Amino acid sequence: MSEKNIRTKAIRTQIPRTQFLEHSNPMYLTSSYVFEDAEDMRASFAEEKDRNIYSRYSNPNTSEFIEKVCQMEGAEAGFAFASGMAAVFSTFAALLESGDHVVSCRSVFGSTHTLFTQIFPKWNISHSYFKIDEIESIPDLIQPNTKIIYAESPTNPAVDILDLKRLGELAKAHNCLLLIDNCFATPYLQQPIKFGADLVIHSGTKLMDGQGRVLAGITVGSADLVETIYRFARITGPALSPFNAWVLSKSLETLAVRVDKHCENALAVAEFLESHEKVNRVKYPFLDSHPAQEIAIKQMKSGGSVVAFDVKGGLEAGRKFFDSIEWLSLSANLGDTRTIVTHPASTTHSKLSPEDRAESGITDGLVRISVGLEYVDDIIADIDQALKA
Ligand SMILES: *Cc1c(COP(=O)(O)O)cnc(C)c1O
């Protein structure tokens, strides 16, 4: 059979049908599985058989979700987690030992930053940060104990872009693993393995579900690394629930059409904001004004669903803008059918010191819009009246 397009894979990757020949995939809400006899039990636990034993290890629904994401990312294997942060934490914890060091971009998800600064030091795992425009300083940050280079692109919340191909080259040259949080792009817009990533991490909570219903995470990549992660996870128990896996596998069937529309709406919102007199600076990867537009176009199919901008007048004007929004959601999530407006400085990144926020490009007036699937003129109208207020 010929290699199928990613859209077809997202819809047609499916575990085998049961005797009922159901068309849509059934839900396997079972914590454990039965054995035929004593020999089956022994052989199953000895891992002589590839089968489900207990849903902390594997479940048909999670297996289907993992297989689908692997197909879409071009990965050999994966493991699904209860949240994006469970995926980030477990992946690092499985691969690192006391004394190891990580080189990471400074602009990472708030909880990932807290992991580096407050959790990992407990186990003597250290990190060094490079700023978004300092990718060429990575060789200076590498130590003999550096195991992992870590980055997001586009970043949350400032939608900055990192050159994945260059990161891949640097990781290879310094014998480090490259881990990419691909949450903002989704496997539909960008496949970091193509550029040299060893592992790709997602929060499935965002565009993968895309409808604001479930928490989920997943890590995919080379089979031997995933084996190490699997060994860690089957003991420590961060597994995704079968119900959430079922929801996600269904969601992925519509990922491409949803993300296409998200991107179309986001570009329209970004262009509108750029022409608005109350707005200082708009960041969207596919805008001509984005400092890394050229790289974004090289590595992404489209610009994604998130637009960042600064309201003129700083914090006070920002608060006024949020208070004047009529019906768009004020929430901390993103990647939903519903447009969400967030103030990172007082919400998702409030735990960071003002200096840390500044280093991540998060100003007091920064607004992050996760552009949804509503009629785009309606979205723009609410933003416009709030800006004018
Ligand atoms: C939301 C998010 C996470 C964490 O995912 P959860 O599902 O909320 O645990 C990690 N990375 C990025 C880039 C995110 O946006």
PDB file of all heavy atoms in Angstrom, residues 341-365:
ATOM      1  N   VAL A 341      -9.142  34.535  25.514  1.00  0.00           N
ATOM      2  CA  VAL A 341      -8.244  35.671  25.704  1.00  0.00           C
ATOM      3  C   VAL A 341      -7.588  35.527  27.077  1.00  0.00           C
ATOM      4  O   VAL A 341      -8.278  35.327  28.067  1.00  0.00           O
ATOM      5  CB  VAL A 341      -9.038  36.997  25.626  1.00  0.00           C
ATOM      6  CG1 VAL A 341      -8.087  38.175  25.512  1.00  0.00           C
ATOM      7  CG2 VAL A 341      -9.990  36.984  24.449  1.00  0.00           C
ATOM      8  N   THR A 342      -6.246  35.590  27.106  1.00  0.00           N
ATOM      9  CA  THR A 342      -5.509  35.369  28.351  1.00  0.00           C
ATOM     10  C   THR A 342      -4.532  36.499  28.602  1.00  0.00           C
ATOM     11  O   THR A 342      -3.958  37.058  27.666  1.00  0.00           O
ATOM     12  CB  THR A 342      -4.702  34.047  28.267  1.00  0.00           C
ATOM     13  OG1 THR A 342      -5.566  33.004  27.857  1.00  0.00           O
ATOM     14  CG2 THR A 342      -4.087  33.681  29.609  1.00  0.00           C
ATOM     15  N   HIS A 343      -4.338  36.806  29.877  1.00  0.00           N
ATOM     16  CA  HIS A 343      -3.327  37.777  30.292  1.00  0.00           C
ATOM     17  C   HIS A 343      -2.210  36.997  31.004  1.00  0.00           C
ATOM     18  O   HIS A 343      -2.290  36.753  32.209  1.00  0.00           O
ATOM     19  CB  HIS A 343      -3.960  38.805  31.243  1.00  0.00           C
ATOM     20  CG  HIS A 343      -3.020  39.903  31.622  1.00  0.00           C
ATOM     21  ND1 HIS A 343      -2.898  40.379  32.903  1.00  0.00           N
ATOM     22  CD2 HIS A 343      -2.126  40.610  30.883  1.00  0.00           C
ATOM     23  CE1 HIS A 343      -1.986  41.344  32.949  1.00  0.00           C
ATOM     24  NE2 HIS A 343      -1.513  41.498  31.738  1.00  0.00           N
ATOM     25  N   PRO A 344      -1.168  36.581  30.275  1.00  0.00           N
ATOM     26  CA  PRO A 344      -0.147  35.697  30.856  1.00  0.00           C
ATOM     27  C   PRO A 344       0.501  36.250  32.124  1.00  0.00           C
ATOM     28  O   PRO A 344       0.765  35.500  33.063  1.00  0.00           O
ATOM     29  CB  PRO A 344       0.885  35.545  29.726  1.00  0.00           C
ATOM     30  CG  PRO A 344       0.111  35.779  28.480  1.00  0.00           C
ATOM     31  CD  PRO A 344      -0.894  36.829  28.845  1.00  0.00           C
ATOM     32  N   ALA A 345       0.751  37.566  32.179  1.00  0.00           N
ATOM     33  CA  ALA A 345       1.473  38.128  33.329  1.00  0.00           C
ATOM     34  C   ALA A 345       0.731  37.923  34.636  1.00  0.00           C
ATOM     35  O   ALA A 345       1.354  37.790  35.691  1.00  0.00           O
ATOM     36  CB  ALA A 345       1.750  39.615  33.096  1.00  0.00           C
ATOM     37  N   SER A 346      -0.616  37.875  34.588  1.00  0.00           N
ATOM     38  CA  SER A 346      -1.355  37.703  35.848  1.00  0.00           C
ATOM     39  C   SER A 346      -1.934  36.299  35.998  1.00  0.00           C
ATOM     40  O   SER A 346      -2.558  35.995  37.005  1.00  0.00           O
ATOM     41  CB  SER A 346      -2.476  38.748  35.949  1.00  0.00           C
ATOM     42  OG  SER A 346      -3.482  38.474  34.992  1.00  0.00           O
ATOM     43  N   THR A 347      -1.739  35.425  34.984  1.00  0.00           N
ATOM     44  CA  THR A 347      -2.328  34.080  35.094  1.00  0.00           C
ATOM     45  C   THR A 347      -1.263  32.997  34.928  1.00  0.00           C
ATOM     46  O   THR A 347      -0.571  32.659  35.883  1.00  0.00           O
ATOM     47  CB  THR A 347      -3.459  33.884  34.062  1.00  0.00           C
ATOM     48  OG1 THR A 347      -2.938  34.071  32.743  1.00  0.00           O
ATOM     49  CG2 THR A 347      -4.603  34.838  34.301  1.00  0.00           C
ATOM     50  N   THR A 348      -1.110  32.496  33.691  1.00  0.00           N
ATOM     51  CA  THR A 348      -0.248  31.325  33.454  1.00  0.00           C
ATOM     52  C   THR A 348       1.206  31.556  33.861  1.00  0.00           C
ATOM     53  O   THR A 348       1.902  30.617  34.201  1.00  0.00           O
ATOM     54  CB  THR A 348      -0.258  30.928  31.955  1.00  0.00           C
ATOM     55  OG1 THR A 348       0.040  32.078  31.171  1.00  0.00           O
ATOM     56  CG2 THR A 348      -1.606  30.378  31.547  1.00  0.00           C
ATOM     57  N   HIS A 349       1.679  32.790  33.793  1.00  0.00           N
ATOM     58  CA  HIS A 349       3.080  33.060  34.110  1.00  0.00           C
ATOM     59  C   HIS A 349       3.223  33.979  35.320  1.00  0.00           C
ATOM     60  O   HIS A 349       4.253  34.615  35.514  1.00  0.00           O
ATOM     61  CB  HIS A 349       3.799  33.630  32.881  1.00  0.00           C
ATOM     62  CG  HIS A 349       3.946  32.615  31.776  1.00  0.00           C
ATOM     63  ND1 HIS A 349       2.875  32.153  31.053  1.00  0.00           N
ATOM     64  CD2 HIS A 349       5.021  31.937  31.317  1.00  0.00           C
ATOM     65  CE1 HIS A 349       3.285  31.245  30.165  1.00  0.00           C
ATOM     66  NE2 HIS A 349       4.586  31.096  30.310  1.00  0.00           N
ATOM     67  N   SER A 350       2.175  34.018  36.177  1.00  0.00           N
ATOM     68  CA  SER A 350       2.201  34.906  37.350  1.00  0.00           C
ATOM     69  C   SER A 350       3.201  34.437  38.409  1.00  0.00           C
ATOM     70  O   SER A 350       3.668  35.225  39.214  1.00  0.00           O
ATOM     71  CB  SER A 350       0.806  35.001  37.972  1.00  0.00           C
ATOM     72  OG  SER A 350       0.361  33.721  38.349  1.00  0.00           O
ATOM     73  N   LYS A 351       3.527  33.141  38.397  1.00  0.00           N
ATOM     74  CA  LYS A 351       4.458  32.605  39.401  1.00  0.00           C
ATOM     75  C   LYS A 351       5.907  32.977  39.095  1.00  0.00           C
ATOM     76  O   LYS A 351       6.788  32.801  39.931  1.00  0.00           O
ATOM     77  CB  LYS A 351       4.348  31.072  39.482  1.00  0.00           C
ATOM     78  CG  LYS A 351       2.974  30.547  39.858  1.00  0.00           C
ATOM     79  CD  LYS A 351       2.800  30.483  41.369  1.00  0.00           C
ATOM     80  CE  LYS A 351       1.493  29.804  41.751  1.00  0.00           C
ATOM     81  NZ  LYS A 351       0.306  30.493  41.202  1.00  0.00           N
ATOM     82  N   LEU A 352       6.141  33.489  37.886  1.00  0.00           N
ATOM     83  CA  LEU A 352       7.501  33.878  37.510  1.00  0.00           C
ATOM     84  C   LEU A 352       7.819  35.262  38.084  1.00  0.00           C
ATOM     85  O   LEU A 352       6.930  36.096  38.236  1.00  0.00           O
ATOM     86  CB  LEU A 352       7.635  33.942  35.979  1.00  0.00           C
ATOM     87  CG  LEU A 352       7.989  32.650  35.238  1.00  0.00           C
ATOM     88  CD1 LEU A 352       6.943  31.578  35.458  1.00  0.00           C
ATOM     89  CD2 LEU A 352       8.136  32.918  33.747  1.00  0.00           C
ATOM     90  N   SER A 353       9.073  35.485  38.374  1.00  0.00           N
ATOM     91  CA  SER A 353       9.482  36.822  38.822  1.00  0.00           C
ATOM     92  C   SER A 353       9.361  37.779  37.633  1.00  0.00           C
ATOM     93  O   SER A 353       9.411  37.345  36.478  1.00  0.00           O
ATOM     94  CB  SER A 353      10.917  36.785  39.315  1.00  0.00           C
ATOM     95  OG  SER A 353      11.782  36.533  38.229  1.00  0.00           O
ATOM     96  N   PRO A 354       9.206  39.090  37.897  1.00  0.00           N
ATOM     97  CA  PRO A 354       9.112  40.063  36.793  1.00  0.00           C
ATOM     98  C   PRO A 354      10.314  39.955  35.843  1.00  0.00           C
ATOM     99  O   PRO A 354      10.141  40.087  34.626  1.00  0.00           O
ATOM    100  CB  PRO A 354       9.099  41.415  37.520  1.00  0.00           C
ATOM    101  CG  PRO A 354       8.556  41.113  38.875  1.00  0.00           C
ATOM    102  CD  PRO A 354       9.030  39.732  39.216  1.00  0.00           C
ATOM    103  N   GLU A 355      11.508  39.675  36.387  1.00  0.00           N
ATOM    104  CA  GLU A 355      12.706  39.549  35.532  1.00  0.00           C
ATOM    105  C   GLU A 355      12.572  38.325  34.621  1.00  0.00           C
ATOM    106  O   GLU A 355      12.876  38.374  33.431  1.00  0.00           O
ATOM    107  CB  GLU A 355      13.986  39.401  36.369  1.00  0.00           C
ATOM    108  CG  GLU A 355      14.277  40.558  37.332  1.00  0.00           C
ATOM    109  CD  GLU A 355      13.428  40.479  38.602  1.00  0.00           C
ATOM    110  OE1 GLU A 355      13.351  39.385  39.193  1.00  0.00           O
ATOM    111  OE2 GLU A 355      12.829  41.502  38.988  1.00  0.00           O
ATOM    112  N   ASP A 356      12.097  37.203  35.208  1.00  0.00           N
ATOM    113  CA  ASP A 356      11.914  35.985  34.423  1.00  0.00           C
ATOM    114  C   ASP A 356      10.888  36.204  33.307  1.00  0.00           C
ATOM    115  O   ASP A 356      11.056  35.721  32.191  1.00  0.00           O
ATOM    116  CB  ASP A 356      11.448  34.822  35.312  1.00  0.00           C
ATOM    117  CG  ASP A 356      12.617  34.181  36.057  1.00  0.00           C
ATOM    118  OD1 ASP A 356      13.767  34.500  35.725  1.00  0.00           O
ATOM    119  OD2 ASP A 356      12.368  33.360  36.955  1.00  0.00           O
ATOM    120  N   ARG A 357       9.826  36.936  33.658  1.00  0.00           N
ATOM    121  CA  ARG A 357       8.799  37.203  32.644  1.00  0.00           C
ATOM    122  C   ARG A 357       9.388  38.030  31.511  1.00  0.00           C
ATOM    123  O   ARG A 357       9.167  37.736  30.340  1.00  0.00           O
ATOM    124  CB  ARG A 357       7.603  37.931  33.261  1.00  0.00           C
ATOM    125  CG  ARG A 357       6.606  37.011  33.899  1.00  0.00           C
ATOM    126  CD  ARG A 357       5.238  37.650  34.021  1.00  0.00           C
ATOM    127  NE  ARG A 357       5.231  38.787  34.916  1.00  0.00           N
ATOM    128  CZ  ARG A 357       5.106  38.703  36.236  1.00  0.00           C
ATOM    129  NH1 ARG A 357       4.968  37.509  36.793  1.00  0.00           N
ATOM    130  NH2 ARG A 357       5.101  39.770  36.991  1.00  0.00           N
ATOM    131  N   ALA A 358      10.150  39.040  31.874  1.00  0.00           N
ATOM    132  CA  ALA A 358      10.753  39.899  30.844  1.00  0.00           C
ATOM    133  C   ALA A 358      11.657  39.077  29.928  1.00  0.00           C
ATOM    134  O   ALA A 358      11.644  39.243  28.711  1.00  0.00           O
ATOM    135  CB  ALA A 358      11.532  41.023  31.508  1.00  0.00           C
ATOM    136  N   GLU A 359      12.427  38.150  30.530  1.00  0.00           N
ATOM    137  CA  GLU A 359      13.330  37.317  29.731  1.00  0.00           C
ATOM    138  C   GLU A 359      12.568  36.412  28.777  1.00  0.00           C
ATOM    139  O   GLU A 359      13.090  36.009  27.751  1.00  0.00           O
ATOM    140  CB  GLU A 359      14.217  36.465  30.648  1.00  0.00           C
ATOM    141  CG  GLU A 359      15.328  37.255  31.293  1.00  0.00           C
ATOM    142  CD  GLU A 359      16.475  36.369  31.758  1.00  0.00           C
ATOM    143  OE1 GLU A 359      16.310  35.133  31.759  1.00  0.00           O
ATOM    144  OE2 GLU A 359      17.518  36.929  32.098  1.00  0.00           O
ATOM    145  N   SER A 360      11.345  36.051  29.134  1.00  0.00           N
ATOM    146  CA  SER A 360      10.536  35.199  28.254  1.00  0.00           C
ATOM    147  C   SER A 360       9.685  36.020  27.303  1.00  0.00           C
ATOM    148  O   SER A 360       8.808  35.472  26.628  1.00  0.00           O
ATOM    149  CB  SER A 360       9.614  34.299  29.076  1.00  0.00           C
ATOM    150  OG  SER A 360      10.302  33.685  30.107  1.00  0.00           O
ATOM    151  N   GLY A 361       9.900  37.323  27.265  1.00  0.00           N
ATOM    152  CA  GLY A 361       9.158  38.176  26.341  1.00  0.00           C
ATOM    153  C   GLY A 361       7.729  38.443  26.780  1.00  0.00           C
ATOM    154  O   GLY A 361       6.873  38.764  25.962  1.00  0.00           O
ATOM    155  N   ILE A 362       7.466  38.293  28.098  1.00  0.00           N
ATOM    156  CA  ILE A 362       6.103  38.503  28.584  1.00  0.00           C
ATOM    157  C   ILE A 362       6.014  39.868  29.264  1.00  0.00           C
ATOM    158  O   ILE A 362       6.430  40.038  30.402  1.00  0.00           O
ATOM    159  CB  ILE A 362       5.694  37.378  29.565  1.00  0.00           C
ATOM    160  CG1 ILE A 362       5.814  36.021  28.873  1.00  0.00           C
ATOM    161  CG2 ILE A 362       4.281  37.597  30.082  1.00  0.00           C
ATOM    162  CD1 ILE A 362       5.825  34.855  29.816  1.00  0.00           C
ATOM    163  N   THR A 363       5.470  40.829  28.539  1.00  0.00           N
ATOM    164  CA  THR A 363       5.302  42.168  29.103  1.00  0.00           C
ATOM    165  C   THR A 363       3.990  42.218  29.881  1.00  0.00           C
ATOM    166  O   THR A 363       3.149  41.332  29.747  1.00  0.00           O
ATOM    167  CB  THR A 363       5.252  43.211  27.972  1.00  0.00           C
ATOM    168  OG1 THR A 363       4.207  42.809  27.062  1.00  0.00           O
ATOM    169  CG2 THR A 363       6.567  43.267  27.217  1.00  0.00           C
ATOM    170  N   ASP A 364       3.815  43.283  30.695  1.00  0.00           N
ATOM    171  CA  ASP A 364       2.584  43.423  31.485  1.00  0.00           C
ATOM    172  C   ASP A 364       1.360  43.585  30.600  1.00  0.00           C
ATOM    173  O   ASP A 364       0.258  43.202  30.980  1.00  0.00           O
ATOM    174  CB  ASP A 364       2.697  44.632  32.421  1.00  0.00           C
ATOM    175  CG  ASP A 364       3.548  44.294  33.642  1.00  0.00           C
ATOM    176  OD1 ASP A 364       3.828  43.095  33.855  1.00  0.00           O
ATOM    177  OD2 ASP A 364       3.940  45.236  34.360  1.00  0.00           O
ATOM    178  N   GLY A 365       1.558  44.169  29.413  1.00  0.00           N
ATOM    179  CA  GLY A 365       0.419  44.414  28.537  1.00  0.00           C
ATOM    180  C   GLY A 365       0.174  43.302  27.524  1.00  0.00           C
ATOM    181  O   GLY A 365      -0.709  43.402  26.677  1.00  0.00           O
TER     182      GLY A 365
END
